[in-house]
Amino acid sequence: MKTSIHTEVSEKLNTYMNTLEDQGYFNGAVLVAHENQILLRKGFGMANFEHDVPNTSTTKFRLGAITKSFTAVAIIQLQDQGLLNVNDPIGLYLPNYPNGNIITIDHLLTNSSGIQDYPAFPYYWEKTMRLYSTIEQTIESFKDKPLQFAPGEGYSYTSSPFILLSYIIAKVSGMSYQKYILDNILSPLNMRNTGVEDGRTLLKHFASGYSICKGIIPTEYVDMSLHAGAGGMYSTVEDLYLWDQALSRDGILSQQQWEQLFGSNTSPFGSYGWVVTEQFINNKPRKRVWHSGTMNGFYAEFNRYVDEDITIIVLSNVSLTPVDVICECLAKIVMGEEVTPPNPISRINVASDELRKFAGIYNIGEEETTNKDFARATELREALDKLSSIDKPKFAVGLFYKIFYQHGIDPSKTVVVTYEDDTIYLFMQKNKGAWFKYEIVPISKQDNLLVCTTLHVKEQIEFRIEPNGRLILFHIDPHGHRTEAINVFPMHGG
């Protein structure tokens, strides 16, 4: 009986994911397992668009912050060996580290150290991420920054503490972080397609990472030496399932360690590389152990519903993809909730002069008070023209921010719609604060209403023209979050 149920669920999972792939909404690999039965294990789309190489279940993807779960287990192992204690102040291992006498290893593991986040520093995107860096050099970049709060008195999601943990692992073990993880975790678990990336080793079956600027574009280069135990690992969905099994109740952790990591809900920022919370699915709260990870061009999520014995791993090499929404939909399918795949896009034709009217700079939540100022209107038209003509390299490195600042536009409160080559594009901030430009597709039109969907990510856009001529954009993202933005000026007489 159970086999037939699993077969039916497997078919539904395949149908859902095949639909996402067919409509261009997913590119990556997925694994879904229930009660030690793998229900879906498959690659979708391309590992490399340039060479038409497809993704498979053994394609390697960057994991970003999912790396932290491996770093945490390494610390637990070293504590078991008597080489450190999580209650030790980090000054024992980094003698000259500021506040090293009051910051403990446990503070690092629980995002409660107060240490600032090195990827958030100025010039990270333009310069820092592109340069080789030893763990010691990365530590130097943030060690003298003031704490955000006293250790243990707050929480903040940062990657810097896991760089310090990488250093501590190397110091007490007498080997590099990379070698320790390989020898003590990956090899014993037979995770042959997983490792810590250094950017100089040839990795076969390794996916390329992509972003979206009108269409698929290669992501910006990042030197992976910078991220070590904070985000430097790669893996496959199959290997991560081995990791999931190792972290089960009868796996590599003692019962006490398992309870410490997964027994109680954590802060929203996570603890020991995992966030433990509840998710309401099919009319019931479900205990969810999860973490996501991003790294230039990659977006990953690892979900474990420990009471139901369900594992869902989604790895994408297109960073716009809402992997968290996909994970939740797959979980709903396994738990018996009805999930309807998106319908195919049915595009309608809209005349070019009509489409052009919807281009503009939109303020989120409020109308600019100077909307009758002719000089301001001219300035914003100039800004829109620049944003519409910016090329892909300048887009990719974030030079459009200069246009915002030069013209007094707050990027945190702005959505831009550009008109280019008889097509309109949505230019806005998305996952983890990154900007994307992707096509808006008209699907329905009335006198004062244009309803649209988008390519590359399933969203709904509505443009409404009010009786007073004001143009409002309503944006509904894959999570169902609704944003209202008002066109600052009619850019083309609309």
Side-chain angles (χ1 to χ4, degrees):
M1 180 66 178
K2 187 173 288 187
T3 301
S4 63
I5 293 174
H6 279 155
T7 300
E8 181 182 345
V9 172
S10 180
E11 290 174 354
K12 290 182 178 180
L13 293 169
N14 271 283
T15 297
Y16 176 76
M17 290 307 307
N18 288 336
T19 302
L20 293 187
E21 179 188 35
D22 291 345
Q23 296 185 29
Y25 292 140
F26 183 70
N27 196 88
V30 174
L31 186 143
V32 180
H34 183 210
E35 297 176 339
N36 297 317
Q37 283 269 125
I38 294 178
L39 306 181
L40 176 64
R41 175 176 50 195
K42 190 175 178 182
F44 301 88
M46 292 292 164
N48 183 279
F49 284 91
E50 291 88 338
H51 300 290
D52 291 328
V53 178
N55 277 315
T56 72
S57 62
T58 57
T59 300
K60 301 179 179 78
F61 296 81
R62 287 175 176 164
L63 300 182
I66 293 176
T67 300
K68 295 176 180 180
S69 65
F70 293 88
T71 303
V73 167
I75 291 290
I76 290 171
Q77 288 179 339
L78 293 168
Q79 178 172 257
D80 285 346
Q81 297 168 33
L83 296 176
L84 57 77
N85 188 290
V86 296
N87 295 315
D88 289 341
I90 64 172
L92 289 176
Y93 310 97
L94 297 105
N96 298 317
Y97 196 88
N99 299 298
N101 60 322
I102 58 173
I103 301 171
T104 68
I105 292 175
D106 187 71
H107 288 144
L108 302 181
L109 288 162
T110 56
N111 289 299
S112 60
S113 67
I115 296 172
Q116 292 192 41
D117 192 28
Y118 69 91
F121 295 162
Y123 305 111
Y124 169 81
W125 190 259
E126 299 94 326
K127 181 179 179 181
T128 307
M129 74 174 184
R130 303 168 191 276
L131 302 177
Y132 176 81
S133 181
T134 65
I135 290 176
E136 292 83 359
Q137 288 171 329
T138 306
I139 291 172
E140 285 296 321
S141 74
F142 62 77
K143 65 180 290 187
D144 294 321
K145 303 288 185 182
L147 295 177
Q148 300 175 76
F149 48 79
E153 294 187 8
Y155 295 98
S156 178
Y157 185 79
T158 61
S159 291
S160 302
F162 281 80
I163 297 297
L164 295 176
L165 291 169
S166 305
Y167 177 87
I168 292 170
I169 289 166
K171 183 167 186 177
V172 304
S173 70
M175 60 183 76
S176 69
Y177 171 82
Q178 182 180 30
K179 183 168 174 54
Y180 182 90
I181 296 296
L182 176 63
D183 289 357
N184 294 276
I185 297 178
L186 304 180
S187 292
L189 295 178
N190 202 30
M191 296 177 67
R192 297 178 179 177
N193 290 315
T194 304
V196 182
E197 192 182 350
D198 61 17
R200 277 85 186 161
T201 301
L202 183 65
L203 297 174
K204 292 187 177 182
H205 310 296
F206 189 73
S208 300
Y210 298 93
S211 183
I212 304 291
C213 179
K214 299 206 279 190
I216 298 282
I217 64 169
T219 192
E220 287 300 294
Y221 174 76
V222 55
D223 195 307
M224 294 303 294
S225 63
L226 184 66
H227 296 295
M233 291 184 68
Y234 62 86
S235 190
T236 69
V237 291
E238 294 191 7
D239 266 18
L240 288 179
Y241 184 52
L242 295 177
W243 185 227
D244 168 74
Q245 292 176 307
L247 296 176
S248 64
R249 286 185 182 274
D250 56 352
I252 61 175
L253 301 174
S254 69
Q255 183 62 31
Q256 181 180 357
Q257 290 167 343
W258 193 96
E259 290 293 338
Q260 179 189 2
L261 266 64
F262 309 127
S264 303
N265 287 0
T266 66
S267 80
F269 303 101
S271 176
Y272 285 70
W274 295 98
V275 181
V276 183
T277 186
E278 284 187 342
Q279 190 172 49
F280 203 78
I281 294 178
N282 203 6
N283 302 313
K284 184 179 177 181
R286 316 283 181 160
K287 183 174 183 177
R288 176 184 174 221
V289 176
W290 69 280
H291 212 284
S292 62
T294 61
M295 188 58 66
N296 300 30
F298 294 84
Y299 200 177
E301 185 154 303
F302 195 150
N303 281 251
R304 308 172 65 230
Y305 298 89
V306 291
D307 293 337
E308 289 82 8
D309 193 12
I310 295 170
T311 302
I312 298 173
I313 303 164
V314 177
L315 308 179
S316 176
N317 56 324
V318 175
S319 54
L320 179 60
T321 304
V323 292
D324 52 346
V325 174
I326 294 171
C327 278
E328 183 175 357
C329 288
L330 294 173
K332 288 178 177 178
I333 292 170
V334 179
M335 296 184 208
E337 187 171 329
E338 197 64 35
V339 175
T340 304
N343 294 321
I345 296 174
S346 182
R347 184 191 297 259
I348 64 169
N349 291 322
V350 178
S352 298
D353 58 342
E354 284 291 313
L355 270 186
R356 190 188 301 269
K357 293 179 181 179
F358 300 106
I361 295 173
Y362 292 75
N363 275 2
I364 298 174
E366 59 186 22
E367 187 170 9
E368 188 167 303
T369 55
T370 57
N371 62 355
K372 296 187 182 299
D373 186 328
F374 178 79
R376 181 62 174 148
T378 302
E379 183 177 17
L380 289 172
R381 288 192 183 98
E382 181 182 336
L384 180 63
D385 288 341
K386 290 179 180 177
L387 291 168
S388 301
S389 60
I390 193 167
D391 59 25
K392 291 176 182 177
K394 291 178 181 176
F395 161 83
V397 299
L399 290 180
F400 55 85
Y401 276 108
K402 292 184 178 180
I403 299 171
F404 287 140
Y405 299 141
Q406 286 170 356
H407 296 274
I409 300 167
D410 183 351
S412 68
K413 297 180 179 179
T414 298
V415 175
V416 179
V417 176
T418 66
Y419 174 82
E420 306 172 51
D421 302 321
D422 295 331
T423 303
I424 50 176
Y425 296 94
L426 189 65
F427 181 40
M428 70 180 298
Q429 214 167 19
K430 300 290 295 179
N431 304 338
K432 310 295 184 181
W435 284 76
F436 301 88
K437 182 188 282 190
Y438 48 109
E439 185 176 343
I440 300 171
V441 180
I443 58 174
S444 173
K445 186 177 184 300
Q446 300 174 21
D447 287 345
N448 296 311
L449 175 67
L450 181 67
V451 179
C452 308
T453 188
T454 53
L455 297 187
H456 305 293
V457 59
K458 181 65 175 177
E459 297 183 335
Q460 182 168 313
I461 311 292
E462 294 181 6
F463 296 98
R464 295 186 183 180
I465 303 173
E466 296 191 334
N468 63 2
R470 187 173 65 167
L471 179 58
I472 303 178
L473 178 154
F474 296 94
H475 172 261
I476 303 173
D477 72 9
H479 304 85
H481 298 153
R482 185 180 180 90
T483 299
E484 179 178 337
I486 301 169
N487 196 346
V488 178
F489 282 96
M491 292 297 171
H492 296 280

